Amino acid sequence: MNEAHSERLIPLPYPLLLHVGAFCLKLNPLEMAAIVSHRVFSTATRLNSTGREPRWRGSGATSVRCADVSTATVENRRVTVSNRNDSLDICRVLNGMWQTSGGWGRIDRDDAVEAMLHYADAGLSTFDMADHYGPAEDLYGIFINRVRRERPPELLEQVRGLTKWVPPPVKMTSSYVRDSINVSRKRMDVESLDMLQFHWWDYANPGYLDALKHLTDLKEEGKIKTVALTNFDTERLQIILENEIPVVSNQVQHSLVDMRPQQRMAELCQLTGVKLITYGTVMGGLLSEKFLDTNIAIPFAGPAINTPSLQKYKRMVDAWGGWSLFQGLLRTLKQVASKHGVSIATVAVKYILDQPAVAGSMVGVRLGLSEHIQDSNAIFSLVLDEDDVNSIREATAKGKDLIKVIGDCGDEYRRA
């Protein structure tokens, strides 16, 4: 993602950093940590176990970019998802850890954990993972122990670890569910999971209700703080709520290309208070300057579609209307992005965050390989005006309605 264009970076020695931050933003030191990616740790903290500086880490003095965050506040960075007595506050931009599962480049454990600390120090302190995302839960366990040892208690209180459970379609007994959840608790090294997001493959098998009831029991025991869903459709969400299972959110695919959640799903969520957490919001990186004005139909002429996420969301582009139409959307986003001095991806995420019922949006992180902290933090201060919204809406309306092509949220995982 791009750096902001025109603002001058002022290198500062760390002892002065919080004073300048307080002057620019009127924030306390913890809130400043949510804005400024500081690199002033002890040598032991900054270096991984091999004694190497992590590959993604730059050099130079700590900097503050006052203009980037002038309208950002702690209030618009975090949101609470709740149902009855259950609630959890999360960062509205979540760090997605699917990229640790393979296919995006080799992940070095120590570099990855160091990168997680860097994101958390910058205020991006909510991490989303799953039981099947390779070492994601294990990395979180190492990371949270580093936070406990090396960071102030105030930061620890801000960190959230959201995981998913994607079981096979077997009988959902209490012991089976308990044993499965205990595996995640052990890997993540927590007494209680902040959020357990449940996925079910086959609606013809009603065992998902049994599983959710057992998960609710575990919540009552303190093993889980909040129960949530992922990739459930509107009909099944309503059935789950009618069975008095207190789910707080449903994680679904949602982007400028895939606006399906704003139809049936958002309406039910607004009626019931269930929130949406979105993934695929930058489409694996397709919604970026890298793919603007490119022709991927000619071999080696454009960027490679060479990761699982790029390949997945390229199929969504094809279903929506094709590459040429997608280029029109990218050009519109670029005009908006240039107007505000931000990146295409920042605009794409902000637009979805502004949609009804959306609590948070995922941005995938390639831990230890690359970073986009500045772009992610820019989302909080970006305000899209009426002209921006209208131009984006006009560009997206040129594509097909994916609910007619694919079906409701999550149906892409259940079609024959």
Side-chain angles (χ1 to χ4, degrees):
M1 297 188 191
N2 291 342
E3 297 287 328
H5 305 295
S6 59
E7 301 87 342
R8 185 166 60 93
L9 282 174
I10 308 168
L12 298 173
Y14 187 65
L16 296 179
L17 180 61
L18 296 184
H19 295 286
V20 173
F23 175 79
C24 290
L25 306 176
K26 299 180 181 178
L27 302 177
N28 64 40
L30 177 61
E31 293 165 340
M32 271 302 299
I35 304 299
V36 182
S37 302
H38 62 77
R39 298 189 177 108
V40 187
F41 311 125
S42 67
T43 301
T45 301
R46 288 197 299 113
L47 298 180
N48 63 25
S49 61
T50 63
R52 302 184 277 116
E53 187 78 20
R55 291 189 295 274
W56 53 268
R57 204 179 270 287
S59 60
T62 305
S63 304
V64 58
R65 189 189 300 271
C66 298
D68 285 352
V69 294
S70 58
T71 60
T73 66
V74 171
E75 287 74 19
N76 71 8
R77 297 181 66 89
R78 300 186 74 84
V79 66
T80 298
V81 294
S82 62
N83 191 325
R84 288 185 270 181
N85 295 326
D86 304 332
S87 66
L88 185 74
D89 76 297
I90 60 173
C91 183
R92 295 202 72 200
V93 176
L94 298 89
N95 305 312
M97 295 179 65
W98 181 29
Q99 285 79 356
T100 66
S101 61
W104 288 265
R106 181 181 176 275
I107 297 293
D108 177 88
R109 184 197 69 179
D110 298 315
D111 286 358
V113 172
E114 195 72 24
M116 294 174 74
L117 289 165
H118 197 48
Y119 276 91
D121 287 330
L124 301 166
S125 55
T126 299
F127 296 84
D128 179 88
M129 63 211 84
D131 59 347
H132 62 290
Y133 287 2
E137 291 184 332
D138 301 299
L139 291 172
Y140 183 85
I142 300 170
F143 156 76
I144 198 65
N145 270 299
R146 290 277 303 273
V147 173
R148 290 165 182 155
R149 297 193 311 267
E150 302 171 10
R151 297 296 188 271
E154 293 84 0
L155 182 58
L156 179 61
E157 292 173 2
Q158 298 284 314
V159 172
R160 301 288 181 265
L162 286 51
T163 195
K164 306 180 195 76
W165 180 43
V166 185
V170 298
K171 186 174 179 59
M172 292 290 112
T173 64
S174 175
S175 60
Y176 180 80
V177 174
R178 180 182 299 273
D179 290 346
S180 299
I181 298 313
N182 282 341
V183 172
S184 290
R185 291 173 58 231
K186 182 177 180 179
R187 292 179 70 190
M188 296 173 68
D189 199 10
V190 293
E191 285 295 318
S192 181
L193 299 174
D194 289 329
M195 179 184 289
L196 192 285
Q197 302 165 104
F198 174 67
H199 175 90
W200 190 251
W201 292 107
D202 182 10
Y203 293 145
N205 179 347
Y208 67 90
L209 289 172
D210 296 326
L212 284 165
K213 289 173 182 176
H214 295 317
L215 290 172
T216 302
D217 290 340
L218 291 174
K219 177 185 67 66
E220 296 300 323
E221 294 177 18
K223 304 293 193 300
I224 300 168
K225 294 176 183 175
T226 53
V227 175
L229 306 173
T230 181
N231 292 316
F232 272 78
D233 66 8
T234 309
E235 179 183 349
R236 255 54 61 160
L237 173 58
Q238 184 164 353
I239 291 171
I240 289 165
L241 294 172
E242 288 172 351
N243 277 266
E244 299 187 346
I245 296 168
V247 297
V248 298
S249 63
N250 186 19
Q251 186 179 134
V252 294
Q253 182 174 292
H254 195 357
S255 69
L256 289 165
V257 165
D258 187 358
M259 295 294 291
R260 289 177 297 158
Q262 288 308 312
Q263 299 187 48
R264 304 167 191 163
M265 181 63 68
E267 182 179 359
L268 178 61
C269 288
Q270 288 179 291
L271 287 171
T272 61
V274 173
K275 297 296 186 182
L276 298 176
I277 295 175
T278 75
Y279 66 87
T281 309
V282 295
M283 304 188 71
L286 290 178
L287 286 169
S288 69
E289 284 78 2
K290 180 178 181 180
F291 289 92
L292 176 64
D293 295 326
T294 61
N295 183 355
I296 61 172
I298 303 174
F300 309 110
I305 307 294
N306 59 355
T307 67
S309 53
L310 287 172
Q311 292 160 4
K312 173 181 180 178
Y313 297 115
K314 171 58 167 59
R315 291 193 293 271
M316 286 293 160
V317 169
D318 295 339
W320 178 71
W323 195 252
S324 178
L325 192 62
F326 184 67
Q327 287 299 307
L329 174 60
L330 285 179
R331 285 191 287 272
T332 296
L333 295 174
K334 181 59 178 176
Q335 291 174 352
V336 175
S338 297
K339 170 182 169 181
H340 293 281
V342 297
S343 69
I344 287 175
T346 296
V347 174
V349 176
K350 177 60 174 177
Y351 186 90
I352 297 302
L353 277 178
D354 286 344
Q355 298 305 302
V358 174
S361 291
M362 203 85 58
V363 177
V365 289
R366 299 177 66 182
L367 297 171
L369 300 175
S370 62
E371 70 163 41
H372 37 69
I373 288 174
Q374 184 173 341
D375 276 355
S376 291
N377 270 329
I379 295 165
F380 301 111
S381 56
L382 174 62
V383 178
L384 299 175
D385 62 31
E386 185 177 355
D387 289 340
D388 301 329
V389 171
N390 288 338
S391 64
I392 294 170
R393 186 177 293 140
E394 181 180 347
T396 61
K398 293 177 181 178
K400 296 177 183 177
D401 180 357
L402 289 185
I403 205 165
K404 297 177 180 177
V405 178
I406 299 172
D408 200 2
C409 299
D411 282 357
E412 61 270 28
Y413 296 100
R414 298 178 180 90
R415 294 187 305 167

